[in-house]
Amino acid sequence: SVIAHKDEHNPDLRTSYSSRVYNKLQIDVNNVDTGLFDKGPMKQLRFLKQHLDTNAATGKNFIPVFVSESLSKLYYQSSPQARREEILNTQMSGIENEEYAQFAGTFYQDFNIYNNYISVFNQGLVSPIHSRGRMYYEYFLVDSADVDGQKRYRVSFRPRRRYEPTFRGYMWIADGSYAVIEAQYELARDANLNFVNYVMGDEEYQLVDGRTWFPRRKHFFVDLNLTDQTFGLFGHKTTLYDSVKLGATIPPRLLRGNEEVVVAEGAHEAGEKYWDSIRPVPLSGSETSVFAMVDSVKQLPLYRGARRVWLMLLERYFPLRYVDIGPWQRIYTYNEVEGHRFTFGLRTNADITRHVQVWGYAGYGTRDAQWKWKGGALWVIKRRPWRTLRLEAGHEVEVLGQGKKSIEEDNLLSALLRERRNNKLTMVDRGEISYFHEWITGLSTEFTASHSRVYPTVYVPFVRADGSRAPSLNDTRLEVEFRWKYRERFITNSFYRQSAGSKYPEISVNVAGALRGVLRSDFSYLRLS
């Protein structure tokens, strides 16, 4: 009967609702080898030993390294299906980029026992109330109780077969409505999952409007390790729901875009006194100490050096105060046209301003004995939705016909590893202005106007039909690109953002054209991609 009635109680199948949601996420490093803290530079982290603890469920030691809290407003409607979460307040230990706050909400780590499968890192674990649950589980009626005049029954369950991605645990079921009131479950010990050693879930439901059961509390724990001997991660997530309103509508301001998670302005500005007043459950001693511990680690030379190296690998620039040096992968390159090439560049960073970035570099080739340069400026007009204005000019060699999204050939690794030397490089003088306008998340238009003068080389000569040679070619182009990727997610830093993907396809249309004689252009054409 629980399975037969589960669509009536599944929160994801409600017509509409709203709720205030508190989320707490903690990440620990487990299987810690304390001997590492007695070696070399790691001695700076010796004080972390006092934060070492042991997990009762797994028996592994661990050190907490990250805690985040968020208070948000969650809205849902089934027709047309839409879900919006507005994060009102958030704090994250050790995270300086406010854009990561969107991952602290409920949306990115949600789980629901009423769904057939509980997804853990894209691995589907069979829910205890799967629509075909009796194929996977054995059930036992073990107890009953009367709470506030409500008759309920306790049903335990265990896997029917070994090695399957199933749970063991128990549920309390409401008499008459057959709704789940409480459930505790843990991954079967012999279940075979890649890198997932242990999973535990705990859910409680509350009665809304006297007849509808809705989640009140969810707790989720996962243990991830490559092997039992190597260090891994614990993840804990607690979600509390209150102020539930069934039939509530989503505010029009949140429906205008398709962003499913929105971070309110000033969400990071709440102080500790404010958090103490709104936090439904006080932080434990270990959770409170994480914030202080992370602040201490961030002051260490070891951390600051490691962070700079990580940012250099991630963003291709080595960060300093006010400016960054790079890109490092172009410091040295080699090709048939330039010979050995050396490049040095700088860009401003968010320590000056988060709205405008100025950048530039200069390079010299030993074979062609020419200086090359490129520079520009980026103005981030708006972050939600994303809108930017970019100016760029340069005197640089390029591979003709290579698209903007092609893999960059001119870098250190390609110079060292390439077997066939590239000689299809030509000198290009170019000036360009571009405006990017995002209408809603995933739907954007980019307008570009550019003028280029392209020069021939001995490898790429410009020969006219009559056999004469052209000293250069001029191209003045107007270009517009429309791009659409439904439900796309982004990770954003101060000036750039990286797509975090979507399960839907990307559709883009690019139209570019020029008219001969207009602004010294040598050709007329229209190109559609």
Side-chain angles (χ1 to χ4, degrees):
S1 294
V2 172
I3 293 172
H5 289 83
K6 73 175 192 170
D7 286 354
E8 301 170 18
H9 305 296
N10 189 343
D12 292 344
L13 299 180
R14 298 277 176 219
T15 302
S16 64
Y17 65 81
S18 70
S19 174
R20 193 175 76 148
V21 181
Y22 169 79
N23 272 287
K24 179 171 62 180
L25 180 66
Q26 178 176 326
I27 297 176
D28 312 320
V29 174
N30 62 38
N31 272 351
V32 179
D33 181 4
T34 56
L36 289 175
F37 299 135
D38 299 321
K39 299 177 181 178
M42 295 295 289
K43 291 180 180 179
Q44 299 176 41
L45 300 175
R46 191 176 294 169
F47 71 94
L48 295 180
K49 286 185 179 181
Q50 63 187 356
H51 297 278
L52 198 66
D53 205 346
T54 301
N55 180 269
T58 64
K60 298 178 182 179
N61 68 5
F62 69 92
I63 293 177
V65 295
F66 173 81
V67 171
S68 76
E69 295 181 281
S70 71
L71 186 70
S72 58
K73 193 75 173 180
L74 180 65
Y75 301 90
Y76 177 83
Q77 67 181 33
S78 59
S79 182
Q81 190 177 54
R83 177 172 173 164
R84 298 291 185 271
E85 182 179 11
E86 184 177 24
I87 296 179
L88 306 175
N89 298 100
T90 182
Q91 63 172 345
M92 309 175 75
S93 64
I95 301 296
E96 300 167 359
N97 188 342
E98 65 183 38
E99 300 294 339
Y100 286 101
Q102 60 182 306
F103 297 99
T106 185
F107 183 80
Y108 286 96
Q109 307 100 25
D110 196 22
F111 59 97
N112 181 0
I113 196 174
Y114 279 101
N115 293 333
N116 281 338
Y117 297 95
I118 296 173
S119 179
V120 178
F121 297 97
N122 293 323
Q123 301 186 74
L125 311 184
V126 181
S127 168
I129 52 174
H130 187 285
S131 297
R132 299 289 182 269
R134 295 175 70 178
M135 293 177 58
Y136 299 96
Y137 291 99
E138 293 178 315
Y139 300 94
F140 305 90
L141 180 64
V142 295
D143 199 2
S144 64
D146 227 312
V147 180
D148 297 329
Q150 169 69 54
K151 184 77 170 180
R152 56 184 66 182
Y153 295 93
R154 176 167 167 154
V155 175
S156 68
F157 51 88
R158 68 186 184 195
R160 188 171 288 274
R161 291 171 295 277
R162 299 180 64 186
Y163 308 118
E164 292 188 337
T166 49
F167 299 96
R168 63 173 61 246
Y170 70 86
M171 299 176 286
W172 281 98
I173 308 299
D175 185 29
S177 66
Y178 304 104
V180 176
I181 299 176
E182 181 185 340
Q184 289 192 15
Y185 46 91
E186 63 179 3
L187 184 69
R189 294 288 179 174
D190 52 13
N192 185 16
L193 294 179
N194 293 331
F195 315 130
V196 178
N197 294 334
Y198 182 73
V199 174
M200 188 272 290
D202 180 4
E203 302 185 37
E204 295 177 15
Y205 289 76
Q206 57 190 318
L207 199 59
V208 180
D209 69 14
R211 61 182 185 276
T212 303
W213 290 95
F214 193 87
R216 174 168 54 196
R217 176 183 177 274
K218 294 183 180 183
H219 177 73
F220 198 66
F221 173 80
V222 61
D223 173 20
L224 302 172
N225 285 83
L226 291 176
T227 69
D228 289 336
Q229 280 70 45
T230 60
F231 76 89
L233 297 175
F234 289 152
H236 314 251
K237 178 175 180 289
T238 301
T239 305
L240 302 176
Y241 301 83
D242 62 29
S243 305
V244 179
K245 293 182 180 179
L246 301 178
T249 58
I250 302 178
R253 61 184 174 82
L254 297 179
L255 277 177
R256 290 190 191 105
N258 69 336
E259 263 187 314
E260 293 172 312
V261 180
V262 176
V263 182
E265 291 291 335
H268 305 263
E269 298 172 2
E272 192 55 41
K273 288 184 178 180
Y274 178 79
W275 276 105
D276 288 340
S277 67
I278 66 171
R279 188 182 287 123
V281 179
L283 293 179
S284 66
S286 63
E287 291 167 342
T288 302
S289 68
V290 173
F291 288 98
M293 180 186 70
V294 170
D295 287 339
S296 300
V297 171
K298 287 168 63 179
Q299 305 306 317
L300 298 176
L302 175 66
Y303 170 83
R304 293 201 297 266
R307 179 177 180 273
R308 285 180 174 177
V309 172
W310 169 249
L311 288 176
M312 182 185 71
L313 295 174
L314 193 66
E315 299 188 3
R316 305 183 303 168
Y317 281 80
F318 188 78
L320 300 173
R321 186 72 183 273
Y322 302 122
V323 296
D324 303 331
I325 298 175
W328 62 265
Q329 86 280 9
R330 299 194 65 187
I331 290 176
Y332 167 78
T333 59
Y334 178 85
N335 59 70
E336 293 294 315
V337 175
E338 298 176 281
H340 301 281
R341 169 171 167 158
F342 302 90
T343 304
F344 178 80
L346 293 172
R347 71 179 186 185
T348 61
N349 57 39
D351 288 341
I352 298 178
T353 173
R354 294 182 66 248
H355 299 286
V356 177
Q357 182 179 67
V358 180
W359 61 274
Y361 67 80
Y364 183 80
T366 57
R367 178 169 296 177
D368 63 359
Q370 290 192 53
W371 282 96
K372 296 89 180 175
W373 60 272
K374 188 177 282 189
L378 176 70
W379 175 23
V380 181
I381 303 169
K382 198 173 182 180
R383 286 181 166 78
R384 293 189 188 91
W386 188 256
R387 291 169 187 174
T388 61
L389 180 67
R390 179 176 55 85
L391 301 173
E392 189 174 300
H395 175 73
E396 179 63 286
V397 292
E398 297 181 8
V399 178
L400 292 185
Q402 180 171 276
K404 292 181 180 179
K405 298 180 182 179
S406 300
I407 296 174
E408 188 179 79
E409 290 193 12
D410 188 15
N411 62 71
L412 178 62
L413 290 178
S414 67
L416 297 176
L417 302 177
R418 183 190 296 124
E419 294 183 3
R420 292 187 60 188
R421 299 300 180 184
N422 182 17
N423 58 17
K424 301 298 191 251
L425 295 168
T426 55
M427 183 66 72
V428 180
D429 291 333
R430 174 178 288 117
E432 186 171 287
I433 180 171
S434 176
Y435 172 68
F436 181 90
H437 187 101
E438 183 179 60
W439 304 97
I440 58 176
T441 304
L443 178 63
S444 62
T445 307
E446 185 171 19
F447 305 90
T448 304
S450 65
H451 175 77
S452 304
R453 175 174 289 178
V454 187
Y455 298 92
T457 70
V458 293
Y459 301 104
V460 187
F462 293 167
V463 183
R464 298 188 179 95
D466 60 7
S468 62
R469 299 203 171 208
S472 65
L473 299 176
N474 291 296
D475 175 31
T476 302
R477 175 188 307 175
L478 294 178
E479 185 174 349
V480 60
E481 180 171 275
F482 302 92
R483 181 181 179 276
W484 171 235
K485 193 164 190 176
Y486 184 55
R487 290 192 173 180
E488 187 172 21
R489 302 173 185 176
F490 294 94
I491 298 174
T492 309
N493 64 12
S494 297
F495 301 105
Y496 304 97
R497 64 179 190 172
Q498 179 68 38
S499 174
S502 167
K503 64 180 181 180
Y504 299 95
E506 175 183 326
I507 300 170
S508 63
V509 177
N510 181 290
V511 182
L515 288 175
R516 183 174 183 176
V518 175
L519 298 177
R520 301 168 62 187
S521 187
D522 290 335
F523 300 95
S524 294
Y525 62 89
L526 183 67
R527 187 194 66 197
L528 174 66
S529 305

